[in-house]
Amino acid sequence: MTCVLALVLTAALVACSAESDNEQQDSSASNPPSPRLYPVESNGKYGYVDENGKLKFTLPDDVYTIGPFSEGLAVVAKRVPNTNGRWGFVDHNGKVVIEARFHWATIFSEGLAAVFVSEREDTGDKLGYIDRTGRIVIQPQFERGSHHSNFPFSEGLAAVARAHDEWGYIDKTGKFVIQPRFHEAHPFSEGRAVVGMGGPDSLDKKYGVIDKQGRWIVEPQYEYVEQFSEGLAPILVDDKVGFIDPQGKVVIKPQFGDGSHCPGGEAGRTSTNRFSDGLAAVPVDWKWGFIDHTGKWVIKPAFECALPFSEGLALVGVRDEEGRWSFGYIDKSGAMVIKPQFSEARSFVGKLAHVTVGMSEDEALFKALQDREAGKPKEEIEKELKRHKPQKGFIDRTGKLVWKDP
């Protein structure tokens, strides 16, 4: 199945590392709870399945990529002749509620979604925001910037770029409340936002933390800082991960490895280390375990890879003697509740998790290259690729495959 869940600012708009981790289902007074749906590809057509693995609907043939639902709507992109494609939104019944007329669009957050528009296909597009009716409420006027972002609103503010790399924060009227002066800016979390200084290509870029008035809480000094979660934020110092509190004080000294060597992990070197369900995944000597808010081991290092807890389960990875990865899931006691058996896997979102059974795509490609170097005929290599084609789908909390790509 093509990776259909990641929406990044690239021409292909395909990034498997973002998969279902980015799925959001909002329920609020203005947006009543909706059934959770998951993007799939079925017989060459995109659609959505429910938490039981039942296909709810498919979309027309001209749809070429789709995203997760957020606040009751999902972004879809369709082919339009003589254009680079157009983006719009559908509801939980597959009905088009916002026509595909934008050059690019993101998921909804706090009632708004970022969209790009342009007068012509070959000119630079501008970023603005629409509401759930498709009405433009913040006129397109901002730039893409150099670092990938879905430009979400969080805690009433959104990070946008006025020039190529002059980032600041706007409110829902489009007014800058924190003037553009950063070279990188991330969403607010727990009243704090991570920003970077030093230029887009600078090897010595440093990261710090600001409050909602734009005042420095932590001056730019770290190799990286992750968003705050459960009152703590991972920091990177000399390739070691530690944690700071909301005042910027180091409460768990940098001593752990980062997540850069964890295949299938989330984007970013420290995003795998954030706290969730009271625990944070961290490695020492290439083995991963989980610590509490004091830095004490709760689940001792025993895995080659681990991701944060989600829905009460954490994805962990192990390797065999030949270096092949297998992924499974543990509970908060550290007990393996779904044994490692998947070549690729994502964290649980709701009742389901996205997995790959059999060879991963990378493994299948590597084997094909080896066969070609060994002189195998093209027809035989293609037959082997078909036989070892990765089987992607969704599992439930028992590990049962409730949906698999046809």
Side-chain angles (χ1 to χ4, degrees), residues 363-385:
E363 288 173 335
L365 177 60
F366 183 67
K367 185 178 186 307
L369 292 174
Q370 284 184 317
D371 289 343
R372 187 175 68 178
E373 290 179 0
K376 281 190 177 182
K378 180 180 178 181
E379 295 77 11
E380 188 174 338
I381 294 175
E382 290 177 348
K383 185 183 295 184
E384 282 288 298
L385 275 175

mmCIF file with all atom_site columns, all heavy atoms in Angstrom, residues 363-385:
data_model
loop_
_atom_site.group_PDB
_atom_site.id
_atom_site.type_symbol
_atom_site.label_atom_id
_atom_site.label_alt_id
_atom_site.label_comp_id
_atom_site.label_asym_id
_atom_site.label_entity_id
_atom_site.label_seq_id
_atom_site.pdbx_PDB_ins_code
_atom_site.Cartn_x
_atom_site.Cartn_y
_atom_site.Cartn_z
_atom_site.occupancy
_atom_site.B_iso_or_equiv
_atom_site.pdbx_formal_charge
_atom_site.auth_seq_id
_atom_site.auth_comp_id
_atom_site.auth_asym_id
_atom_site.auth_atom_id
_atom_site.pdbx_PDB_model_num
ATOM 1   N N   . GLU A 1 363 ? 13.676 -4.434  2.394   1.00 0.00 ? 363 GLU A N   1
ATOM 2   C CA  . GLU A 1 363 ? 14.253 -5.778  2.287   1.00 0.00 ? 363 GLU A CA  1
ATOM 3   C C   . GLU A 1 363 ? 13.984 -6.388  0.914   1.00 0.00 ? 363 GLU A C   1
ATOM 4   O O   . GLU A 1 363 ? 14.860 -7.040  0.320   1.00 0.00 ? 363 GLU A O   1
ATOM 5   C CB  . GLU A 1 363 ? 13.680 -6.673  3.382   1.00 0.00 ? 363 GLU A CB  1
ATOM 6   C CG  . GLU A 1 363 ? 14.190 -6.348  4.778   1.00 0.00 ? 363 GLU A CG  1
ATOM 7   C CD  . GLU A 1 363 ? 13.463 -7.141  5.858   1.00 0.00 ? 363 GLU A CD  1
ATOM 8   O OE1 . GLU A 1 363 ? 12.313 -7.563  5.629   1.00 0.00 ? 363 GLU A OE1 1
ATOM 9   O OE2 . GLU A 1 363 ? 14.053 -7.322  6.933   1.00 0.00 ? 363 GLU A OE2 1
ATOM 10  N N   . ALA A 1 364 ? 12.769 -6.193  0.395   1.00 0.00 ? 364 ALA A N   1
ATOM 11  C CA  . ALA A 1 364 ? 12.419 -6.737  -0.912  1.00 0.00 ? 364 ALA A CA  1
ATOM 12  C C   . ALA A 1 364 ? 13.278 -6.092  -2.008  1.00 0.00 ? 364 ALA A C   1
ATOM 13  O O   . ALA A 1 364 ? 13.765 -6.776  -2.917  1.00 0.00 ? 364 ALA A O   1
ATOM 14  C CB  . ALA A 1 364 ? 10.937 -6.517  -1.191  1.00 0.00 ? 364 ALA A CB  1
ATOM 15  N N   . LEU A 1 365 ? 13.484 -4.785  -1.899  1.00 0.00 ? 365 LEU A N   1
ATOM 16  C CA  . LEU A 1 365 ? 14.308 -4.091  -2.885  1.00 0.00 ? 365 LEU A CA  1
ATOM 17  C C   . LEU A 1 365 ? 15.759 -4.550  -2.796  1.00 0.00 ? 365 LEU A C   1
ATOM 18  O O   . LEU A 1 365 ? 16.405 -4.789  -3.825  1.00 0.00 ? 365 LEU A O   1
ATOM 19  C CB  . LEU A 1 365 ? 14.219 -2.581  -2.664  1.00 0.00 ? 365 LEU A CB  1
ATOM 20  C CG  . LEU A 1 365 ? 15.086 -1.708  -3.585  1.00 0.00 ? 365 LEU A CG  1
ATOM 21  C CD1 . LEU A 1 365 ? 14.692 -1.926  -5.035  1.00 0.00 ? 365 LEU A CD1 1
ATOM 22  C CD2 . LEU A 1 365 ? 14.954 -0.239  -3.200  1.00 0.00 ? 365 LEU A CD2 1
ATOM 23  N N   . PHE A 1 366 ? 16.281 -4.715  -1.574  1.00 0.00 ? 366 PHE A N   1
ATOM 24  C CA  . PHE A 1 366 ? 17.655 -5.158  -1.395  1.00 0.00 ? 366 PHE A CA  1
ATOM 25  C C   . PHE A 1 366 ? 17.857 -6.554  -1.985  1.00 0.00 ? 366 PHE A C   1
ATOM 26  O O   . PHE A 1 366 ? 18.861 -6.832  -2.647  1.00 0.00 ? 366 PHE A O   1
ATOM 27  C CB  . PHE A 1 366 ? 18.015 -5.157  0.088   1.00 0.00 ? 366 PHE A CB  1
ATOM 28  C CG  . PHE A 1 366 ? 19.443 -5.544  0.377   1.00 0.00 ? 366 PHE A CG  1
ATOM 29  C CD1 . PHE A 1 366 ? 20.490 -4.723  -0.010  1.00 0.00 ? 366 PHE A CD1 1
ATOM 30  C CD2 . PHE A 1 366 ? 19.730 -6.737  1.029   1.00 0.00 ? 366 PHE A CD2 1
ATOM 31  C CE1 . PHE A 1 366 ? 21.799 -5.079  0.248   1.00 0.00 ? 366 PHE A CE1 1
ATOM 32  C CE2 . PHE A 1 366 ? 21.040 -7.104  1.290   1.00 0.00 ? 366 PHE A CE2 1
ATOM 33  C CZ  . PHE A 1 366 ? 22.080 -6.279  0.894   1.00 0.00 ? 366 PHE A CZ  1
ATOM 34  N N   . LYS A 1 367 ? 16.876 -7.429  -1.766  1.00 0.00 ? 367 LYS A N   1
ATOM 35  C CA  . LYS A 1 367 ? 16.978 -8.783  -2.320  1.00 0.00 ? 367 LYS A CA  1
ATOM 36  C C   . LYS A 1 367 ? 16.971 -8.753  -3.842  1.00 0.00 ? 367 LYS A C   1
ATOM 37  O O   . LYS A 1 367 ? 17.729 -9.486  -4.500  1.00 0.00 ? 367 LYS A O   1
ATOM 38  C CB  . LYS A 1 367 ? 15.831 -9.659  -1.822  1.00 0.00 ? 367 LYS A CB  1
ATOM 39  C CG  . LYS A 1 367 ? 15.934 -11.122 -2.267  1.00 0.00 ? 367 LYS A CG  1
ATOM 40  C CD  . LYS A 1 367 ? 14.803 -11.957 -1.718  1.00 0.00 ? 367 LYS A CD  1
ATOM 41  C CE  . LYS A 1 367 ? 15.005 -13.435 -2.060  1.00 0.00 ? 367 LYS A CE  1
ATOM 42  N NZ  . LYS A 1 367 ? 15.222 -13.665 -3.506  1.00 0.00 ? 367 LYS A NZ  1
ATOM 43  N N   . ALA A 1 368 ? 16.137 -7.881  -4.431  1.00 0.00 ? 368 ALA A N   1
ATOM 44  C CA  . ALA A 1 368 ? 16.088 -7.774  -5.889  1.00 0.00 ? 368 ALA A CA  1
ATOM 45  C C   . ALA A 1 368 ? 17.430 -7.293  -6.433  1.00 0.00 ? 368 ALA A C   1
ATOM 46  O O   . ALA A 1 368 ? 17.905 -7.794  -7.468  1.00 0.00 ? 368 ALA A O   1
ATOM 47  C CB  . ALA A 1 368 ? 14.973 -6.824  -6.290  1.00 0.00 ? 368 ALA A CB  1
ATOM 48  N N   . LEU A 1 369 ? 18.066 -6.349  -5.743  1.00 0.00 ? 369 LEU A N   1
ATOM 49  C CA  . LEU A 1 369 ? 19.379 -5.866  -6.183  1.00 0.00 ? 369 LEU A CA  1
ATOM 50  C C   . LEU A 1 369 ? 20.432 -6.960  -6.089  1.00 0.00 ? 369 LEU A C   1
ATOM 51  O O   . LEU A 1 369 ? 21.281 -7.106  -6.976  1.00 0.00 ? 369 LEU A O   1
ATOM 52  C CB  . LEU A 1 369 ? 19.786 -4.656  -5.335  1.00 0.00 ? 369 LEU A CB  1
ATOM 53  C CG  . LEU A 1 369 ? 18.954 -3.381  -5.539  1.00 0.00 ? 369 LEU A CG  1
ATOM 54  C CD1 . LEU A 1 369 ? 19.374 -2.316  -4.535  1.00 0.00 ? 369 LEU A CD1 1
ATOM 55  C CD2 . LEU A 1 369 ? 19.112 -2.856  -6.962  1.00 0.00 ? 369 LEU A CD2 1
ATOM 56  N N   . GLN A 1 370 ? 20.361 -7.748  -5.013  1.00 0.00 ? 370 GLN A N   1
ATOM 57  C CA  . GLN A 1 370 ? 21.297 -8.868  -4.869  1.00 0.00 ? 370 GLN A CA  1
ATOM 58  C C   . GLN A 1 370 ? 21.104 -9.884  -5.991  1.00 0.00 ? 370 GLN A C   1
ATOM 59  O O   . GLN A 1 370 ? 22.080 -10.391 -6.561  1.00 0.00 ? 370 GLN A O   1
ATOM 60  C CB  . GLN A 1 370 ? 21.097 -9.543  -3.512  1.00 0.00 ? 370 GLN A CB  1
ATOM 61  C CG  . GLN A 1 370 ? 21.667 -8.782  -2.329  1.00 0.00 ? 370 GLN A CG  1
ATOM 62  C CD  . GLN A 1 370 ? 21.520 -9.559  -1.034  1.00 0.00 ? 370 GLN A CD  1
ATOM 63  O OE1 . GLN A 1 370 ? 20.470 -10.150 -0.753  1.00 0.00 ? 370 GLN A OE1 1
ATOM 64  N NE2 . GLN A 1 370 ? 22.570 -9.566  -0.229  1.00 0.00 ? 370 GLN A NE2 1
ATOM 65  N N   . ASP A 1 371 ? 19.845 -10.183 -6.307  1.00 0.00 ? 371 ASP A N   1
ATOM 66  C CA  . ASP A 1 371 ? 19.558 -11.154 -7.374  1.00 0.00 ? 371 ASP A CA  1
ATOM 67  C C   . ASP A 1 371 ? 20.059 -10.641 -8.718  1.00 0.00 ? 371 ASP A C   1
ATOM 68  O O   . ASP A 1 371 ? 20.579 -11.414 -9.536  1.00 0.00 ? 371 ASP A O   1
ATOM 69  C CB  . ASP A 1 371 ? 18.049 -11.426 -7.441  1.00 0.00 ? 371 ASP A CB  1
ATOM 70  C CG  . ASP A 1 371 ? 17.556 -12.242 -6.250  1.00 0.00 ? 371 ASP A CG  1
ATOM 71  O OD1 . ASP A 1 371 ? 18.395 -12.849 -5.566  1.00 0.00 ? 371 ASP A OD1 1
ATOM 72  O OD2 . ASP A 1 371 ? 16.329 -12.271 -6.014  1.00 0.00 ? 371 ASP A OD2 1
ATOM 73  N N   . ARG A 1 372 ? 19.928 -9.341  -8.944  1.00 0.00 ? 372 ARG A N   1
ATOM 74  C CA  . ARG A 1 372 ? 20.389 -8.787  -10.215 1.00 0.00 ? 372 ARG A CA  1
ATOM 75  C C   . ARG A 1 372 ? 21.904 -8.881  -10.321 1.00 0.00 ? 372 ARG A C   1
ATOM 76  O O   . ARG A 1 372 ? 22.446 -9.230  -11.383 1.00 0.00 ? 372 ARG A O   1
ATOM 77  C CB  . ARG A 1 372 ? 19.933 -7.333  -10.349 1.00 0.00 ? 372 ARG A CB  1
ATOM 78  C CG  . ARG A 1 372 ? 20.240 -6.732  -11.722 1.00 0.00 ? 372 ARG A CG  1
ATOM 79  C CD  . ARG A 1 372 ? 19.675 -5.342  -11.862 1.00 0.00 ? 372 ARG A CD  1
ATOM 80  N NE  . ARG A 1 372 ? 20.346 -4.391  -10.996 1.00 0.00 ? 372 ARG A NE  1
ATOM 81  C CZ  . ARG A 1 372 ? 20.056 -3.091  -10.956 1.00 0.00 ? 372 ARG A CZ  1
ATOM 82  N NH1 . ARG A 1 372 ? 19.091 -2.615  -11.719 1.00 0.00 ? 372 ARG A NH1 1
ATOM 83  N NH2 . ARG A 1 372 ? 20.726 -2.291  -10.143 1.00 0.00 ? 372 ARG A NH2 1
ATOM 84  N N   . GLU A 1 373 ? 22.593 -8.562  -9.204  1.00 0.00 ? 373 GLU A N   1
ATOM 85  C CA  . GLU A 1 373 ? 24.052 -8.662  -9.212  1.00 0.00 ? 373 GLU A CA  1
ATOM 86  C C   . GLU A 1 373 ? 24.511 -10.106 -9.380  1.00 0.00 ? 373 GLU A C   1
ATOM 87  O O   . GLU A 1 373 ? 25.588 -10.367 -9.930  1.00 0.00 ? 373 GLU A O   1
ATOM 88  C CB  . GLU A 1 373 ? 24.607 -8.080  -7.915  1.00 0.00 ? 373 GLU A CB  1
ATOM 89  C CG  . GLU A 1 373 ? 24.465 -6.564  -7.815  1.00 0.00 ? 373 GLU A CG  1
ATOM 90  C CD  . GLU A 1 373 ? 25.014 -6.022  -6.509  1.00 0.00 ? 373 GLU A CD  1
ATOM 91  O OE1 . GLU A 1 373 ? 25.492 -6.843  -5.707  1.00 0.00 ? 373 GLU A OE1 1
ATOM 92  O OE2 . GLU A 1 373 ? 24.965 -4.794  -6.299  1.00 0.00 ? 373 GLU A OE2 1
ATOM 93  N N   . ALA A 1 374 ? 23.674 -11.038 -8.925  1.00 0.00 ? 374 ALA A N   1
ATOM 94  C CA  . ALA A 1 374 ? 24.020 -12.464 -9.065  1.00 0.00 ? 374 ALA A CA  1
ATOM 95  C C   . ALA A 1 374 ? 23.733 -12.989 -10.463 1.00 0.00 ? 374 ALA A C   1
ATOM 96  O O   . ALA A 1 374 ? 24.033 -14.153 -10.771 1.00 0.00 ? 374 ALA A O   1
ATOM 97  C CB  . ALA A 1 374 ? 23.248 -13.281 -8.036  1.00 0.00 ? 374 ALA A CB  1
ATOM 98  N N   . GLY A 1 375 ? 23.145 -12.140 -11.319 1.00 0.00 ? 375 GLY A N   1
ATOM 99  C CA  . GLY A 1 375 ? 22.905 -12.530 -12.703 1.00 0.00 ? 375 GLY A CA  1
ATOM 100 C C   . GLY A 1 375 ? 21.582 -13.208 -12.965 1.00 0.00 ? 375 GLY A C   1
ATOM 101 O O   . GLY A 1 375 ? 21.380 -13.794 -14.037 1.00 0.00 ? 375 GLY A O   1
ATOM 102 N N   . LYS A 1 376 ? 20.646 -13.154 -12.031 1.00 0.00 ? 376 LYS A N   1
ATOM 103 C CA  . LYS A 1 376 ? 19.342 -13.779 -12.254 1.00 0.00 ? 376 LYS A CA  1
ATOM 104 C C   . LYS A 1 376 ? 18.590 -13.063 -13.368 1.00 0.00 ? 376 LYS A C   1
ATOM 105 O O   . LYS A 1 376 ? 18.682 -11.835 -13.502 1.00 0.00 ? 376 LYS A O   1
ATOM 106 C CB  . LYS A 1 376 ? 18.504 -13.747 -10.977 1.00 0.00 ? 376 LYS A CB  1
ATOM 107 C CG  . LYS A 1 376 ? 18.873 -14.808 -9.956  1.00 0.00 ? 376 LYS A CG  1
ATOM 108 C CD  . LYS A 1 376 ? 17.845 -14.862 -8.839  1.00 0.00 ? 376 LYS A CD  1
ATOM 109 C CE  . LYS A 1 376 ? 18.157 -15.975 -7.858  1.00 0.00 ? 376 LYS A CE  1
ATOM 110 N NZ  . LYS A 1 376 ? 17.135 -16.067 -6.783  1.00 0.00 ? 376 LYS A NZ  1
ATOM 111 N N   . PRO A 1 377 ? 17.822 -13.809 -14.180 1.00 0.00 ? 377 PRO A N   1
ATOM 112 C CA  . PRO A 1 377 ? 17.041 -13.183 -15.254 1.00 0.00 ? 377 PRO A CA  1
ATOM 113 C C   . PRO A 1 377 ? 16.004 -12.213 -14.685 1.00 0.00 ? 377 PRO A C   1
ATOM 114 O O   . PRO A 1 377 ? 15.489 -12.394 -13.578 1.00 0.00 ? 377 PRO A O   1
ATOM 115 C CB  . PRO A 1 377 ? 16.355 -14.377 -15.931 1.00 0.00 ? 377 PRO A CB  1
ATOM 116 C CG  . PRO A 1 377 ? 17.179 -15.561 -15.552 1.00 0.00 ? 377 PRO A CG  1
ATOM 117 C CD  . PRO A 1 377 ? 17.716 -15.275 -14.184 1.00 0.00 ? 377 PRO A CD  1
ATOM 118 N N   . LYS A 1 378 ? 15.711 -11.179 -15.465 1.00 0.00 ? 378 LYS A N   1
ATOM 119 C CA  . LYS A 1 378 ? 14.767 -10.152 -15.036 1.00 0.00 ? 378 LYS A CA  1
ATOM 120 C C   . LYS A 1 378 ? 13.405 -10.752 -14.691 1.00 0.00 ? 378 LYS A C   1
ATOM 121 O O   . LYS A 1 378 ? 12.771 -10.370 -13.704 1.00 0.00 ? 378 LYS A O   1
ATOM 122 C CB  . LYS A 1 378 ? 14.613 -9.103  -16.137 1.00 0.00 ? 378 LYS A CB  1
ATOM 123 C CG  . LYS A 1 378 ? 13.639 -7.992  -15.792 1.00 0.00 ? 378 LYS A CG  1
ATOM 124 C CD  . LYS A 1 378 ? 13.548 -6.984  -16.932 1.00 0.00 ? 378 LYS A CD  1
ATOM 125 C CE  . LYS A 1 378 ? 12.533 -5.895  -16.602 1.00 0.00 ? 378 LYS A CE  1
ATOM 126 N NZ  . LYS A 1 378 ? 12.411 -4.910  -17.720 1.00 0.00 ? 378 LYS A NZ  1
ATOM 127 N N   . GLU A 1 379 ? 12.957 -11.713 -15.521 1.00 0.00 ? 379 GLU A N   1
ATOM 128 C CA  . GLU A 1 379 ? 11.642 -12.315 -15.286 1.00 0.00 ? 379 GLU A CA  1
ATOM 129 C C   . GLU A 1 379 ? 11.597 -13.040 -13.944 1.00 0.00 ? 379 GLU A C   1
ATOM 130 O O   . GLU A 1 379 ? 10.600 -12.986 -13.218 1.00 0.00 ? 379 GLU A O   1
ATOM 131 C CB  . GLU A 1 379 ? 11.291 -13.293 -16.422 1.00 0.00 ? 379 GLU A CB  1
ATOM 132 C CG  . GLU A 1 379 ? 11.119 -12.650 -17.783 1.00 0.00 ? 379 GLU A CG  1
ATOM 133 C CD  . GLU A 1 379 ? 12.449 -12.302 -18.432 1.00 0.00 ? 379 GLU A CD  1
ATOM 134 O OE1 . GLU A 1 379 ? 13.503 -12.760 -17.910 1.00 0.00 ? 379 GLU A OE1 1
ATOM 135 O OE2 . GLU A 1 379 ? 12.431 -11.556 -19.431 1.00 0.00 ? 379 GLU A OE2 1
ATOM 136 N N   . GLU A 1 380 ? 12.696 -13.711 -13.606 1.00 0.00 ? 380 GLU A N   1
ATOM 137 C CA  . GLU A 1 380 ? 12.750 -14.435 -12.334 1.00 0.00 ? 380 GLU A CA  1
ATOM 138 C C   . GLU A 1 380 ? 12.779 -13.465 -11.152 1.00 0.00 ? 380 GLU A C   1
ATOM 139 O O   . GLU A 1 380 ? 12.144 -13.713 -10.119 1.00 0.00 ? 380 GLU A O   1
ATOM 140 C CB  . GLU A 1 380 ? 13.989 -15.336 -12.310 1.00 0.00 ? 380 GLU A CB  1
ATOM 141 C CG  . GLU A 1 380 ? 14.030 -16.263 -11.106 1.00 0.00 ? 380 GLU A CG  1
ATOM 142 C CD  . GLU A 1 380 ? 15.193 -17.235 -11.175 1.00 0.00 ? 380 GLU A CD  1
ATOM 143 O OE1 . GLU A 1 380 ? 15.696 -17.471 -12.293 1.00 0.00 ? 380 GLU A OE1 1
ATOM 144 O OE2 . GLU A 1 380 ? 15.587 -17.753 -10.103 1.00 0.00 ? 380 GLU A OE2 1
ATOM 145 N N   . ILE A 1 381 ? 13.513 -12.357 -11.315 1.00 0.00 ? 381 ILE A N   1
ATOM 146 C CA  . ILE A 1 381 ? 13.561 -11.352 -10.246 1.00 0.00 ? 381 ILE A CA  1
ATOM 147 C C   . ILE A 1 381 ? 12.166 -10.763 -10.012 1.00 0.00 ? 381 ILE A C   1
ATOM 148 O O   . ILE A 1 381 ? 11.729 -10.596 -8.863  1.00 0.00 ? 381 ILE A O   1
ATOM 149 C CB  . ILE A 1 381 ? 14.563 -10.236 -10.597 1.00 0.00 ? 381 ILE A CB  1
ATOM 150 C CG1 . ILE A 1 381 ? 15.987 -10.799 -10.622 1.00 0.00 ? 381 ILE A CG1 1
ATOM 151 C CG2 . ILE A 1 381 ? 14.463 -9.087  -9.594  1.00 0.00 ? 381 ILE A CG2 1
ATOM 152 C CD1 . ILE A 1 381 ? 17.020 -9.798  -11.075 1.00 0.00 ? 381 ILE A CD1 1
ATOM 153 N N   . GLU A 1 382 ? 11.458 -10.447 -11.096 1.00 0.00 ? 382 GLU A N   1
ATOM 154 C CA  . GLU A 1 382 ? 10.112 -9.885  -10.969 1.00 0.00 ? 382 GLU A CA  1
ATOM 155 C C   . GLU A 1 382 ? 9.159  -10.877 -10.313 1.00 0.00 ? 382 GLU A C   1
ATOM 156 O O   . GLU A 1 382 ? 8.297  -10.486 -9.510  1.00 0.00 ? 382 GLU A O   1
ATOM 157 C CB  . GLU A 1 382 ? 9.591  -9.473  -12.344 1.00 0.00 ? 382 GLU A CB  1
ATOM 158 C CG  . GLU A 1 382 ? 10.319 -8.264  -12.917 1.00 0.00 ? 382 GLU A CG  1
ATOM 159 C CD  . GLU A 1 382 ? 9.833  -7.908  -14.314 1.00 0.00 ? 382 GLU A CD  1
ATOM 160 O OE1 . GLU A 1 382 ? 9.101  -8.733  -14.907 1.00 0.00 ? 382 GLU A OE1 1
ATOM 161 O OE2 . GLU A 1 382 ? 10.195 -6.823  -14.802 1.00 0.00 ? 382 GLU A OE2 1
ATOM 162 N N   . LYS A 1 383 ? 9.338  -12.158 -10.621 1.00 0.00 ? 383 LYS A N   1
ATOM 163 C CA  . LYS A 1 383 ? 8.501  -13.182 -10.002 1.00 0.00 ? 383 LYS A CA  1
ATOM 164 C C   . LYS A 1 383 ? 8.779  -13.271 -8.503  1.00 0.00 ? 383 LYS A C   1
ATOM 165 O O   . LYS A 1 383 ? 7.857  -13.381 -7.681  1.00 0.00 ? 383 LYS A O   1
ATOM 166 C CB  . LYS A 1 383 ? 8.754  -14.545 -10.660 1.00 0.00 ? 383 LYS A CB  1
ATOM 167 C CG  . LYS A 1 383 ? 7.837  -15.653 -10.147 1.00 0.00 ? 383 LYS A CG  1
ATOM 168 C CD  . LYS A 1 383 ? 8.190  -16.997 -10.780 1.00 0.00 ? 383 LYS A CD  1
ATOM 169 C CE  . LYS A 1 383 ? 7.927  -16.974 -12.275 1.00 0.00 ? 383 LYS A CE  1
ATOM 170 N NZ  . LYS A 1 383 ? 8.168  -18.313 -12.889 1.00 0.00 ? 383 LYS A NZ  1
ATOM 171 N N   . GLU A 1 384 ? 10.071 -13.176 -8.145  1.00 0.00 ? 384 GLU A N   1
ATOM 172 C CA  . GLU A 1 384 ? 10.441 -13.204 -6.731  1.00 0.00 ? 384 GLU A CA  1
ATOM 173 C C   . GLU A 1 384 ? 9.897  -11.973 -5.995  1.00 0.00 ? 384 GLU A C   1
ATOM 174 O O   . GLU A 1 384 ? 9.425  -12.069 -4.864  1.00 0.00 ? 384 GLU A O   1
ATOM 175 C CB  . GLU A 1 384 ? 11.967 -13.252 -6.589  1.00 0.00 ? 384 GLU A CB  1
ATOM 176 C CG  . GLU A 1 384 ? 12.557 -14.623 -6.833  1.00 0.00 ? 384 GLU A CG  1
ATOM 177 C CD  . GLU A 1 384 ? 12.236 -15.577 -5.702  1.00 0.00 ? 384 GLU A CD  1
ATOM 178 O OE1 . GLU A 1 384 ? 12.658 -15.329 -4.568  1.00 0.00 ? 384 GLU A OE1 1
ATOM 179 O OE2 . GLU A 1 384 ? 11.521 -16.564 -5.970  1.00 0.00 ? 384 GLU A OE2 1
ATOM 180 N N   . LEU A 1 385 ? 9.973  -10.802 -6.650  1.00 0.00 ? 385 LEU A N   1
ATOM 181 C CA  . LEU A 1 385 ? 9.446  -9.590  -6.036  1.00 0.00 ? 385 LEU A CA  1
ATOM 182 C C   . LEU A 1 385 ? 7.957  -9.722  -5.765  1.00 0.00 ? 385 LEU A C   1
ATOM 183 O O   . LEU A 1 385 ? 7.461  -9.320  -4.706  1.00 0.00 ? 385 LEU A O   1
ATOM 184 C CB  . LEU A 1 385 ? 9.703  -8.387  -6.946  1.00 0.00 ? 385 LEU A CB  1
ATOM 185 C CG  . LEU A 1 385 ? 11.060 -7.697  -6.824  1.00 0.00 ? 385 LEU A CG  1
ATOM 186 C CD1 . LEU A 1 385 ? 11.196 -6.613  -7.885  1.00 0.00 ? 385 LEU A CD1 1
ATOM 187 C CD2 . LEU A 1 385 ? 11.248 -7.101  -5.441  1.00 0.00 ? 385 LEU A CD2 1
#
